[in-house]
Amino acid sequence: MNSALIQSHELWLELFMSSFMSKDIDNSKKLLEYSEIVFRHFRWIENECIKHNIAYNYDRNQIPIKVDSLKSILHDIANRLKQLELSMIDTNNKDLSHRISSDIEYILYSINNIADEEVTSFAMNMSLKDTKLSQDAIDALTFFLFEESYKEYELIMIYNYLKAHTSSLELANIFEILIQESFFHFRKFADMMSEMGILGVPRVIAKEIYIIDDIVEFLLSGIDEELAAKEECKKLSDAVGVQSESLSKFFDFISNQENYHIALMKKALEKLGYQNV
C-alpha cells in the first residue's frame, strides 16, 4: 500500500502538470479531471494505510516533466498508471482495487487517443498573452509564482494529512475547504507558469512540515502566513497595476480570498479550544 501511495501521489502531480501543457481545451480539461480522480485514489489509499496501521509519509521521487511533445509525457503517465494498477492487485480491499483498476483502464484508453502537440510550457518566453509587463514586473511575478505554487501544494498536503487524522467532522470540513481553495490557487498559478514557459513541479515536502504535533501553533503560524501572502499579492497587484488592470484585479481577487482562509483557521482554533483569536 505504501508503494501504491507514492505512485498515486506522483501520478496525480504528473497528470496535473500535463493538463497545462495542452493548448487543446478539451484535452486539458480531460487531463485535469483525470488528475482529480487519481488524487481521490491517493486519498483512498492513504485511508487504507491508516485503517491497517501502515506507516506512511508523503515522500516521493522527483518527477521529470520537461518535454517537447505532449505524447512524451502521456507515454510516461501510461507507464505510471500500469505500475499503480499492479501495486493494487494484492490489496485486501478488493472493491478499492477494482475501482482503481477500472479507472486506470479508461484513463489509459482516453490518453492513448489524445493527439500529439508541441509543448511550450518550458520555453521560458517569460510573457503572458495580451499583457505587456516591464522586466521588474516579470521578475516579481516569476518569483511569486514559484513561491506560491509550492506553498499551495504544501498546504494541500498539510491539510490533507490533518483531515485524514482528525475525528472531528467540523475540523475535517474546514480542512477540506482549505484543500479545495489551495487547489484553485495551485491551478491558476500553474496555468500562468505554463504560459510563461516556466512550468515546474513543486519540491518534495519534508515530513516535519505536515506531521504536526501542535495543530494550534500550526494554525496560528498559518494565519501569519496568510497575512503575509495577502501583502505579497498587494505588492504584485501594485507592481503590475499600471501595466495590466486584469492581472492586478486577479491578484486582488486572490488576496481577498485569503481573508476567508484566515476566518476558517480561526474557526478551527476555536474548535480546538483556543480562545485568543
Side-chain angles (χ1 to χ4, degrees):
M1 292 302 291
N2 210 344
S3 177
L5 188 74
I6 294 169
Q7 289 168 357
S8 59
H9 187 172
E10 294 171 351
L11 182 56
W12 153 54
L13 275 174
E14 189 165 18
L15 273 164
F16 180 81
M17 291 297 163
S18 73
S19 72
F20 303 103
M21 298 180 195
S22 177
K23 297 179 184 67
D24 183 288
I25 294 174
D26 288 338
N27 289 338
S28 178
K29 182 180 176 183
K30 279 181 191 176
L31 292 168
L32 185 60
E33 288 173 344
Y34 298 155
S35 78
E36 292 168 352
I37 289 171
V38 174
F39 184 69
R40 291 202 292 276
H41 294 170
F42 168 78
R43 299 176 94 175
W44 296 338
I45 295 167
E46 180 179 25
N47 289 339
E48 286 296 301
C49 288
I50 294 169
K51 179 181 176 182
H52 296 288
N53 296 312
I54 298 170
Y56 75 94
N57 56 56
Y58 291 158
D59 283 354
R60 58 172 173 81
N61 298 309
Q62 296 296 327
I63 306 169
I65 62 167
K66 192 173 180 180
V67 295
D68 296 322
S69 70
L70 190 61
K71 277 292 185 184
S72 294
I73 197 161
L74 294 183
H75 177 74
D76 191 61
I77 287 169
N79 288 334
R80 288 184 187 273
L81 285 163
K82 293 169 187 174
Q83 289 170 9
L84 176 58
E85 187 173 25
L86 287 173
S87 294
M88 292 301 299
I89 289 175
D90 295 328
T91 181
N92 291 327
N93 189 331
K94 298 305 178 186
D95 290 329
L96 177 59
S97 180
H98 178 73
R99 165 59 193 267
I100 291 177
S101 178
S102 177
D103 286 349
I104 287 172
E105 182 181 353
Y106 178 74
I107 294 171
L108 279 170
Y109 164 78
S110 180
I111 65 174
N112 283 335
N113 285 284
I114 291 178
D116 197 13
E117 58 180 288
E118 180 186 7
V119 171
T120 59
S121 300
F122 314 99
M124 297 189 69
N125 52 287
M126 310 303 288
S127 62
L128 295 169
K129 60 186 177 184
D130 304 324
T131 303
K132 189 167 184 177
L133 299 175
S134 67
Q135 189 59 52
D136 285 346
I138 287 287
D139 290 345
L141 178 59
T142 301
F143 179 80
F144 176 90
L145 290 174
F146 274 109
E147 289 298 309
E148 292 302 306
S149 63
Y150 170 73
K151 189 201 86 169
E152 299 301 348
Y153 167 64
E154 180 184 273
L155 289 175
I156 288 167
M157 303 314 294
I158 291 171
Y159 288 124
N160 187 73
Y161 193 89
L162 290 175
K163 181 183 177 184
H165 290 85
T166 185
S167 57
S168 166
L169 180 59
E170 189 172 359
L171 284 176
N173 287 337
I174 290 171
F175 295 149
E176 181 61 27
I177 293 170
L178 290 168
I179 290 167
Q180 295 306 320
E181 289 287 281
S182 284
F183 258 119
F184 173 74
H185 291 183
F186 193 21
R187 287 195 301 270
K188 299 302 287 186
F189 298 154
D191 192 33
M192 294 175 72
M193 291 173 78
S194 179
E195 191 176 336
M196 293 174 68
I198 54 172
L199 185 64
V201 179
R203 59 190 179 273
V204 177
I205 304 170
K207 301 179 187 67
E208 295 77 13
I209 292 177
Y210 55 86
I211 301 177
I212 297 165
D213 294 325
D214 190 338
I215 299 179
V216 168
E217 183 58 36
F218 162 74
L219 290 170
L220 289 171
S221 297
I223 289 172
D224 290 338
E225 288 184 12
E226 294 288 355
L227 290 169
K230 281 177 59 63
E231 285 301 312
E232 290 303 312
C233 282
K234 180 67 168 59
K235 287 179 186 176
L236 197 53
S237 175
D238 291 343
V240 303
V242 176
Q243 302 161 58
S244 173
E245 182 182 10
S246 62
L247 204 54
S248 177
K249 292 289 186 184
F250 169 74
F251 287 111
D252 286 341
F253 162 66
I254 294 295
S255 175
N256 289 330
Q257 290 189 337
E258 307 290 6
N259 293 330
Y260 188 56
H261 302 170
I262 292 169
L264 287 169
M265 293 162 82
K266 288 181 177 180
K267 187 176 179 182
L269 282 166
E270 290 172 0
K271 179 66 180 175
L272 290 164
Y274 187 83
Q275 301 298 323
N276 300 323
V277 290

